Amino acid sequence: MNPFASGTRLRDMIRAIRACKTAAEERAVVRKECAAIRSAVSENDNEYRHRNLAKLMFIHMLGYPTHFGQMECLKLIASAGFPEKRIGYLGLMLLLDERQEVLMLVTNSLKQDLNHTNQYIVGLALCALGNICSAEMARDLAPEVERLVQFRDPNIRKKAALCSIRIIKKVPDLAENFINPAAGLLKEKHHGVLITGLQLCIDLCTTSAEALEYFRKKCTEAVVKSLKDVANSPYAPEYDISGITDPFLHIRLLRFLRILGHGDADASDCMNDILAQVATKTESNKNAGNAILYECVETIMSIEDNSGLRVLAINILGRFLSNRDNNIRYVALNMLMRAITVDTQAVQRHRATILECVKDSDASIRKRALELVYLLVNESNVKSLTKELIEYLEVSDQDFKGDLTAKTCSIVEKFSTDKIWYIDQMLKVLSEAGSFVKDEVWHALIVVISNASNLHGYTVRSLYKAVQTSGDQESLVRVAVWCIGEYGEMLVNNAGMLGIEEPITVTESDAVDVIEIAIKRHISDLTTQAMRIKDIIVQYKGSLVLELQQRSIEFNSVIQKHQNIRSLLVEKMPVLDEATYSGRRAGSLPATISTSNGAAINLPNGVAKPSAAPLVDLLDLSSDDAPVPSSSGGDFLQDLLGVDLAPALSQLGTSQTQKSGTDVLLDLLSIGTPPAQSSPSTSDILSSSLDNKISVNTLQRLSSPSALSGQASLPAVGSPVMDLLDGFAPNPAAREDNGPAYPSIVAFETNSLKIMFNFSKAPGNPQTTIIQATFTNKSPNVYTDFIFQAAVPKFLQLHLDPASGNTLAASGDGSITQDLRVTNSQHGKKSLVMRTRISYKVNNKEVLEEGQINNFPRGL
Amino acid sequence: MLSDYMLLHVFQIHFVLLISRQGKVRLTKWYSPYTQKERTKVVRELSGLILTRGPKLCNFVEWRGFKVVYKRYASLYFCMCINQDNNELEILEVIHHFVEILDRYFGSVCELDLIFNFHKAYYILDEVLIAGELQESSKKTVHRLIDAQDSLVEAAKEQASSISNMIAQATK
C-alpha cells in the first residue's frame, strides 16, 4: 500500500524486459505492462501513479508509444508532495515536447510552483520550463522567471538565468526585460550563477542590439577583470580541471568578450592584454586547456584587428594542426577554415600539412581538410594541388572518392586557364574515378571538347588510350564513345597531332575493336567495318534489354530502308554552345543549342505529335519508352548520349564495350528521348527560330532536351521537317513495321457503329494522352441518347470530357466527338487498354454495345 | 546588430544521447523540438554513424549540418549534438563533467546503474544542463543539490510509511 514502494516493481519490470531474448518477447512484456498502466490510468489510481510513470518513461526510452501517460504527468505535477512533482516534471520533459497541446495545461501548475516556498520545487519548475516551454508559456511565465533571476538562492538564480534564455529565444520581444537582471548576475562570485549569467548576456546580445550596446558600455571592463581573476586564480579544487580553474567559466568569459569586441575598437582594445595572456599562458597539453585556446582564438579572430594577437592565434592553430591528437587536428582544420576570411596568407602557409590531412585515416578529418584545400586553391597553386588530389584519388577510400572527385572536378573547372590542361585533368579524374563524376561535369567536358577544335584529335586519342586501361569507368567510356563517334576519323588518321603527342597507330578495326562499335558518325565512310556493325545491330535486335533492342531495330531500318537520309542523320554534331550550356548549368538560360556551322540536320523532337507521324513512324524518334538514366533533368548531352551505360557494364560483362558502342548508335537517333523537364519559354524560342523552314542546311538547330521533353514540338517545328522527310517518303508498309507512333486507330467497329481514336500528348506531360474519340453511325437510323462510357485498369487514370452531342445522325452523316484524357502511371512500361460501353436508342429501343480496346499504339 | 558571422554562434546543445555499444538507448534528452518519429530516426542514424567508428578516430561526427561530439566510457557512448561552429573541445569537457558526477553519485558508475536508476541519471543531468546550456561547473554543488532532493524524497517516504503504519495500527 505504500505509494513510494514503487522502486522494486520498476526494477522487476526492467529485469523482465532485460531477460527477453527476442524482440517479440520484449514487445509482449511491454504490452502487458502498458495494459496494466492503462487500466490504472483509467481507474485514476493514485497510489501507483508515481511508479507507473517511471515505468512508462523506461518504456518510452525503448521506443514504444506512451502518449496515454501524458496526463499522468500533469496529475503528479499538480499533487502537493516533492517526490510526486519530481517524477511528474521528469515525465513531462521526457514524454512531451513543446508542440503538444497538453503542455498548455501545465502552465498553471508551473506558475504555482515557481512561487512555491520550497526552493527545490521552484527549481523543478524552472528546469521544466527551461527545457520545454512554448512561446505561449514563455509569455505567461516571464514575469515569474524575471523575478527569480534576482532570487536570494544562487541555485535558483542560475536556473532562472538559463530559463530566461529559452524564454527570449521563444519570444525575442521579452529580451529587454531581462537586460538589467542579467547585468546584475555578472557581478556574482558564485560560478554557476556567473556562467549562466554570462550565457544569458550572450543570448541577449544576439537578440537585441540594445542589450549589446548596454553591456558593451557597462560591463566590458568587469568581464575583462573576471577573466583576469579566473585566469590568475590559485588552485581551486572545486573547479579544477587538469590544472585549470573552471575552464567552463573561462570559455564563457571569452565568448562574451568576443561579442562585446566584435565591431567595436574600444572594447577590443580593452581586452587585448588578457587575450594575449590567455593565448600564451594556457597549458595546452590537456583538452581543457585546448578548449580555452579554441575559444580564445575565435575571440581574437572576431574582435577588431590587432595584428599581434592574430599572429598568436594563427600560431596556436598551426600548433593544433601538428598535434597528434585527432580531435585537436580536426578542430584546427575547422578553425582555419574560418580564419581564411581573416588572413588567407597565414593559412596558406599550412597548405602542405592540410593536404596531408586529406589523406588521414579519419573520415571526419579528411572531409574537413578537403573543404579547406578547396578554399585554399588559387591560380598559383592550382596545378600542384590538383596533381596531389588526383594522385590521392587512386588510393583513397571508396566512400571518400565521391567527395574528393566532386571537389577536384570543381577546382579544375573553376581554375582552368587552358583547355588542354582542363581536358587532361578531367580525363585523369575520369580514369581514376569516372563512376563518381556527376553527369553535368562530364557533359560540360564534352561541351568544352566540342569547342576546342584544335584538340579534337588529341582528345580522342587520349580517350582511346584511357579507355584501354580504365574501361570500367562508366563516365570515361561515355565520353570516349562520344568523342570516337564524333572524331573517329582523327583517331584513325592521326589528324591534328600536337607536338607533345607520341603518334599512335589505330586502324579502323582497332577503333571498332576497342569499343566494339565505336561507330563513326559517317556511315558512308565505313566500308569493311560496316558489315561488322550491321552484325552487331542485328545481334541486338533480339536483345532482352528493351532499349538495346529498340535502338538496334531503329538503326537497322535506317541502314536498310532509308539510304537517302542516312548521311544526314549521322552528320557530325554541331559544336555545342559553351555559353548556353554554362548558362543553363547556372540555371539562367532556356535550353536551346544553336550552332553556327556544320550541316546539322534538324530533327524535331518527334514526341507524339500526330502530325509528325511519318517521321515518327520510321524512326520512332519519340522513344518515350526509353528510360532516361539518372535524369539530371533536361541535360541535352544526356539526350545526345541517350542511354544509360550502367546496365551494360553490370549485366553484359564482357560485351560491355559493345553496349557502349551501341550507345553511340543510339544517340544518333535518340534525339527524342524525353527528359524530365521542360520550360515553356523554350518552345517559344524554338518556334521563333524556325522561321527558316525548308532547307535542311539552314535548319541548324538541334532540339534540346528540354524542348524535347516539352513534347514541345510545336507544329511549327514538326511540320517543315516532316515535309522534308516526306520527300524521302518511306514506303507506307515500312511505317507499320517500325512501330507506329500514335496514328489514329479504329477503336471499335460494328456494322452499325464506328469509333475512331486520335491521339495527342498533353504538353509537358508524356504520361498523359489526349484521345479524341469520333463516333460515326453507319446504320440508316438516327441514334439518340448516345452515351459512351469507358473504364481503365488501376495504373491508368481516365477523364472524360462532355461529348459534343448525344444524337448521332444516320449513315455517317455527321459525328459526335468526345475528348478523353488518359494518364498512364506506368508510362513506358505498359500500354493503354480500355473497356468501353456504348448505349443509345434506335427508334426508342435501347441498344447496348460493349468492347475492349487493345490496339492502342505502343508507348502511349 | 550583430553580423551574420556572430549570429551563427548560437551556443546550445540540441540533445544528449546515451547509447550502449549494442545500440540500446540509455538516456535521451531533447533540448530542441523533435517529434517522436524524428527522435527514433536520429537515434538510429547516430548509432549507425558512431558505433562503427574506430577507437583512434576523432570524437566528432558531422551529421545533417550539425556536429555530434561523442565519447565512449566503458560500454556507453555519451553523445551531444551541437551546431557546426561550436566549441567541440568544450563539449568533451561537459561530457566528462557529467560522467564524473554520475561516477561519484553511483560510486564507480556502470551501465546497469544507469539502466535501473535511469531516472536518477536524468535528475543529475537536469542539475548539469538546462535548455541545452551548462548550469553548474562545480561537481560538489551538483552533489549537494541532488543529495538534498534525494533526502526530501526519503523523508516523504518515511513519513508516508509511518502514516500508513498508523492507519494500519488503527484499523487493526
Side-chain angles (χ1 to χ4, degrees):
Chain A
M1 292 308 279
N2 182 344
F4 304 116
S6 58
T8 55
R9 289 296 304 277
L10 172 63
R11 267 176 181 272
D12 291 344
M13 183 194 81
I14 296 174
R15 278 212 188 92
I17 288 175
R18 282 175 56 75
C20 294
K21 294 214 169 42
T22 64
E25 275 181 53
E26 181 185 293
R27 274 198 297 276
V29 173
V30 169
R31 203 181 307 123
K32 213 175 98 207
E33 285 288 347
C34 282
I37 296 171
R38 269 174 199 273
S39 67
V41 169
S42 60
E43 284 160 21
N44 207 8
D45 179 303
N46 256 326
E47 232 162 300
Y48 293 113
R49 178 169 289 139
H50 170 250
R51 184 171 83 188
N52 287 339
L53 184 58
K55 285 185 187 172
L56 271 185
M57 283 191 268
F58 189 83
I59 291 169
H60 177 90
M61 272 202 293
L62 296 174
Y64 295 93
T66 50
H67 48 274
F68 57 89
Q70 288 174 352
M71 288 308 288
E72 298 299 284
C73 301
L74 304 195
K75 286 180 192 159
L76 283 164
I77 290 169
S79 54
F82 177 79
E84 289 87 348
K85 280 185 191 291
R86 195 186 197 194
I87 195 110
Y89 276 119
L90 184 57
L92 186 79
M93 289 186 281
L94 201 59
L95 306 184
L96 275 80
D97 70 69
E98 60 179 281
R99 284 164 302 198
Q100 265 139 341
E101 302 267 316
V102 188
L103 198 58
M104 281 307 289
L105 303 174
V106 87
T107 311
N108 209 31
S109 300
L110 273 170
K111 192 164 192 154
Q112 281 173 9
D113 287 348
L114 289 173
N115 290 304
H116 207 280
T117 50
N118 182 335
Q119 54 149 326
Y120 294 107
I121 290 180
V122 179
L124 288 178
L126 279 173
C127 180
L129 192 60
N131 284 347
I132 58 165
C133 89
S134 62
E136 289 92 335
M137 293 165 82
R139 244 181 258 281
D140 288 347
L141 300 170
E144 265 74 21
V145 176
E146 192 189 321
R147 181 176 58 76
L148 291 168
V149 173
Q150 303 160 78
F151 196 70
R152 62 187 152 71
D153 184 337
N155 292 312
I156 296 301
R157 287 205 293 278
K158 71 184 189 195
K159 286 187 160 70
L162 293 184
C163 203
S164 313
I165 293 179
R166 172 98 184 187
I167 288 174
I168 58 172
K169 267 183 196 154
K170 293 284 158 202
V171 191
D173 299 350
L174 292 171
E176 59 186 87
N177 302 352
F178 288 92
I179 297 174
N180 270 317
L185 298 176
L186 297 180
K187 302 188 187 89
E188 300 262 358
K189 289 279 172 268
H190 186 287
H191 283 213
V193 180
L194 193 47
I195 281 176
T196 54
L198 283 163
Q199 198 60 56
L200 174 56
C201 291
I202 292 168
D203 276 89
L204 281 168
C205 288
T206 53
T207 10
S208 147
E210 188 194 338
L212 177 61
E213 215 30 63
Y214 179 88
F215 291 128
R216 199 175 263 159
K217 270 210 193 89
K218 305 260 172 174
C219 306
T220 308
E221 285 179 24
V223 177
V224 169
K225 184 169 180 308
S226 297
L227 183 56
K228 265 185 195 145
D229 289 348
V230 68
N232 297 320
S233 106
Y235 176 67
E238 191 175 353
Y239 300 105
D240 187 81
I241 295 179
S242 46
I244 297 165
T245 302
D246 207 339
F248 301 113
L249 181 56
H250 269 98
I251 287 168
R252 274 160 195 77
L253 286 164
L254 286 165
R255 215 174 261 173
F256 194 32
L257 287 180
R258 159 149 98 247
I259 289 176
L260 296 178
H262 182 75
D264 188 295
D266 290 344
S268 300
D269 250 11
C270 180
M271 60 189 75
N272 279 341
D273 291 349
I274 185 63
L275 291 178
Q277 188 200 325
V278 173
T280 47
K281 296 271 164 63
T282 307
E283 215 25 84
S284 66
N285 51 3
K286 287 277 168 53
N287 183 62
N290 286 326
I292 293 176
L293 287 172
Y294 175 118
E295 211 65 40
C296 188
V297 169
E298 289 272 285
T299 301
I300 291 172
M301 291 298 185
S302 307
I303 65 170
E304 290 313 293
D305 195 21
N306 176 322
S307 46
L309 279 179
R310 295 246 154 109
V311 172
L312 270 182
I314 295 282
N315 286 344
I316 291 174
L317 293 184
R319 283 209 313 273
F320 274 16
L321 198 60
S322 49
N323 199 306
R324 284 171 55 202
D325 183 342
N326 277 341
N327 286 342
I328 308 293
R329 279 196 298 148
Y330 174 88
V331 162
L333 290 167
N334 221 358
M335 296 177 81
L336 283 169
M337 207 140 122
R338 274 172 268 165
I340 220 169
T341 53
V342 179
D343 189 348
T344 321
Q345 277 317 306
V347 183
Q348 287 284 2
R349 280 201 294 276
H350 298 290
R351 204 170 57 221
T353 323
I354 296 165
L355 204 55
E356 280 311 301
C357 292
V358 174
K359 305 168 186 173
D360 201 273
S361 57
D362 186 330
S364 295
I365 289 183
R366 280 200 305 257
K367 193 160 171 238
R368 278 290 126 228
L370 183 60
E371 304 232 323
L372 191 51
V373 167
Y374 186 64
L375 294 179
L376 283 176
V377 176
N378 58 30
E379 282 82 3
S380 61
N381 62 23
V382 60
K383 294 206 170 164
S384 62
L385 279 176
T386 309
K387 186 163 170 282
E388 290 267 1
L389 291 178
I390 290 176
E391 276 168 16
Y392 180 55
L393 202 51
E394 290 176 38
V395 290
S396 68
D397 277 1
Q398 285 300 315
D399 30 342
F400 189 52
K401 275 198 169 126
D403 274 353
L404 189 56
T405 308
K407 282 279 190 292
T408 311
C409 291
S410 166
I411 290 170
V412 171
E413 283 183 352
K414 203 161 132 202
F415 289 98
S416 76
T417 43
D418 49 306
K419 283 184 171 172
I420 187 161
W421 182 80
Y422 169 82
I423 291 172
D424 278 346
Q425 305 310 311
M426 290 306 294
L427 294 197
K428 280 186 203 161
V429 173
L430 284 169
S431 309
E432 286 306 330
S435 35
F436 294 95
V437 174
K438 293 243 163 43
D439 285 352
E440 62 263 27
V441 171
W442 63 263
H443 294 175
L445 172 63
I446 286 183
V447 173
V448 170
I449 294 173
S450 145
N451 280 279
S453 52
N454 54 331
L455 297 176
H456 286 167
Y458 171 75
T459 309
V460 71
R461 284 185 293 274
S462 306
L463 277 163
Y464 172 80
K465 281 181 269 183
V467 154
Q468 312 250 3
T469 50
S470 312
D472 54 339
Q473 300 291 348
E474 183 184 322
S475 303
L476 178 73
V477 175
R478 289 184 187 225
V479 176
V481 164
W482 195 90
C483 286
I484 293 175
E486 290 293 317
Y487 316 120
E489 80 283 5
M490 302 176 106
L491 176 63
V492 176
N493 59 24
N494 269 332
M497 285 290 280
L498 297 189
I500 49 168
E501 277 186 87
E502 292 278 321
I504 52 170
T505 318
V506 185
T507 62
E508 282 182 3
S509 172
D510 290 338
V512 181
D513 273 343
V514 173
I515 320 184
E516 195 76 308
I517 34 161
I519 280 288
K520 292 181 191 170
R521 292 262 150 193
H522 311 277
I523 287 183
S524 55
D525 291 349
L526 286 176
T527 47
T528 53
Q529 299 308 322
M531 283 314 290
R532 236 173 107 186
I533 292 160
K534 267 187 200 159
D535 283 350
I536 291 162
I537 290 172
V538 170
Q539 178 188 342
Y540 278 106
K541 272 170 79 179
S543 167
L544 289 178
V545 180
L546 178 67
E547 182 70 36
L548 269 177
Q549 186 191 34
Q550 183 186 347
R551 300 300 181 185
S552 304
I553 290 169
E554 287 166 7
F555 285 112
N556 193 42
S557 62
V558 169
I559 291 168
Q560 289 179 356
K561 296 175 190 154
H562 306 289
Q563 300 287 344
N564 35 12
I565 60 164
R566 205 162 69 186
S567 62
L568 286 172
L569 285 173
V570 297
E571 260 303 350
K572 205 165 212 170
M573 282 284 173
V575 172
L576 304 162
D577 186 1
E578 222 164 348
T580 313
Y581 183 69
S582 48
R584 275 187 58 212
R585 280 187 87 191
S588 54
L589 280 174
T592 40
I593 306 154
S594 55
T595 64
S596 50
N597 61 4
I601 182 164
N602 179 9
L603 291 172
N605 97 61
V607 182
K609 268 292 182 191
S611 57
L615 175 61
V616 167
D617 268 3
L618 80 100
L619 296 177
D620 193 7
L621 282 179
S622 60
S623 70
D624 46 9
D625 51 352
V628 177
S630 60
S631 72
S632 51
D635 261 315
F636 60 87
L637 280 166
Q638 185 82 62
D639 270 353
L640 297 182
L641 295 172
V643 201
D644 202 349
L645 271 179
L649 291 172
S650 56
Q651 292 173 10
L652 298 177
T654 53
S655 58
Q656 70 182 34
T657 42
Q658 297 191 343
K659 166 78 195 252
S660 327
T662 318
D663 268 355
V664 179
L665 286 175
L666 305 191
D667 73 47
L668 291 176
L669 296 173
S670 71
I671 302 165
T673 309
Q677 290 163 355
S678 78
S679 60
S681 62
T682 323
S683 323
D684 297 346
I685 289 169
L686 272 178
S687 61
S688 60
S689 65
L690 280 166
D691 291 343
N692 202 341
K693 284 191 176 179
I694 302 299
S695 158
V696 178
N697 289 328
T698 47
L699 278 173
Q700 291 164 347
R701 209 159 287 267
L702 195 64
S703 306
S704 76
S706 346
L708 302 172
S709 68
Q711 332 302 174
S713 43
L714 317 165
V717 183
S719 36
V721 183
M722 219 185 43
D723 290 350
L724 169 158
L725 288 173
D726 269 346
F728 298 125
N731 59 43
R735 259 186 225 190
E736 290 300 309
D737 292 347
N738 291 344
Y742 326 138
S744 303
I745 60 164
V746 177
F748 183 87
E749 188 161 20
T750 60
N751 294 336
S752 51
L753 181 68
K754 179 176 174 184
I755 306 178
M756 289 286 293
F757 276 6
N758 284 310
F759 303 100
S760 58
K761 279 283 181 187
N765 185 358
Q767 293 193 343
T768 302
T769 309
I770 298 163
I771 304 174
Q772 192 190 42
T774 310
F775 310 101
T776 321
N777 181 354
K778 286 159 73 180
S779 76
N781 306 312
V782 179
Y783 298 165
T784 57
D785 299 330
F786 185 90
I787 296 170
F788 169 80
Q789 291 170 304
V792 289
K794 281 215 181 83
F795 69 91
L796 298 173
Q797 268 189 329
L798 175 67
H799 175 88
L800 270 78
D801 284 343
S804 60
N806 65 354
T807 308
L808 204 49
S811 312
D813 190 21
S815 59
I816 299 177
T817 60
Q818 185 167 16
D819 281 352
L820 294 78
R821 241 172 311 137
V822 184
T823 305
N824 186 352
S825 64
Q826 303 269 356
H827 178 67
K829 293 185 207 130
K830 292 194 184 175
S831 300
L832 300 190
V833 59
M834 191 181 283
R835 273 182 185 280
T836 57
R837 190 178 142 111
I838 302 120
S839 64
Y840 52 88
K841 285 183 180 167
V842 191
N843 303 326
N844 264 336
K845 201 175 121 232
E846 289 264 6
V847 180
L848 189 67
E849 300 202 60
E850 287 182 323
Q852 179 155 345
I853 309 174
N854 294 324
N855 59 336
F856 283 100
R858 284 191 49 219
L860 275 176
Chain B
M1 270 322 267
L2 289 170
S3 70
D4 292 345
Y5 173 76
M6 299 301 281
L7 279 176
L8 286 172
H9 285 71
V10 175
F11 309 97
Q12 195 205 344
I13 296 165
H14 296 290
F15 55 80
V16 177
L17 211 63
L18 258 71
I19 327 174
S20 76
R21 215 174 36 183
Q22 288 79 31
K24 293 254 188 226
V25 180
R26 296 302 176 209
L27 180 148
T28 54
K29 190 83 178 178
W30 309 89
Y31 297 107
S32 297
Y34 292 84
T35 64
Q36 197 57 50
K37 221 170 153 187
E38 288 164 348
R39 293 179 185 187
T40 321
K41 210 170 152 216
V42 168
V43 171
R44 205 173 44 232
E45 278 179 28
L46 285 179
S47 312
L49 214 57
I50 290 172
L51 302 183
T52 52
R53 278 174 69 86
K56 293 249 170 64
L57 306 182
C58 72
N59 293 73
F60 319 122
V61 287
E62 289 170 31
W63 166 82
R64 293 202 207 167
F66 295 102
K67 197 167 285 172
V68 178
V69 179
Y70 72 93
K71 192 154 168 107
R72 181 177 166 179
Y73 291 87
S75 58
L76 278 181
Y77 286 84
F78 288 71
C79 317
M80 294 189 181
C81 173
I82 53 171
N83 287 343
Q84 273 294 352
D85 45 9
N86 287 177
N87 188 337
E88 304 91 345
L89 301 179
E90 188 211 353
I91 300 299
L92 280 176
E93 287 301 322
V94 173
I95 292 177
H96 192 69
H97 184 61
F98 177 46
V99 172
E100 283 194 324
I101 294 170
L102 287 174
D103 201 51
R104 199 146 115 202
Y105 182 83
F106 288 105
S108 179
V109 67
C110 68
E111 194 183 339
L112 280 184
D113 291 324
L114 299 187
I115 294 171
F116 285 99
N117 295 293
F118 69 92
H119 49 296
K120 298 202 166 152
Y122 278 102
Y123 293 144
I124 291 172
L125 184 61
D126 283 344
E127 290 297 334
V128 177
L129 299 174
I130 286 183
E133 307 284 0
L134 184 76
Q135 181 187 174
E136 181 57 69
S137 58
S138 158
K139 298 186 254 297
K140 212 168 110 190
T141 308
V142 174
H143 284 294
R144 207 163 37 77
L145 292 170
I146 292 287
D147 288 346
Q149 295 178 68
D150 283 353
S151 45
L152 269 184
V153 175
E154 285 305 313
K157 258 190 196 175
E158 270 168 34
Q159 202 187 353
S161 66
S162 68
I163 290 174
S164 59
N165 281 349
M166 281 186 322
I167 295 170
Q169 298 268 312
T171 52
K172 235 175 202 171

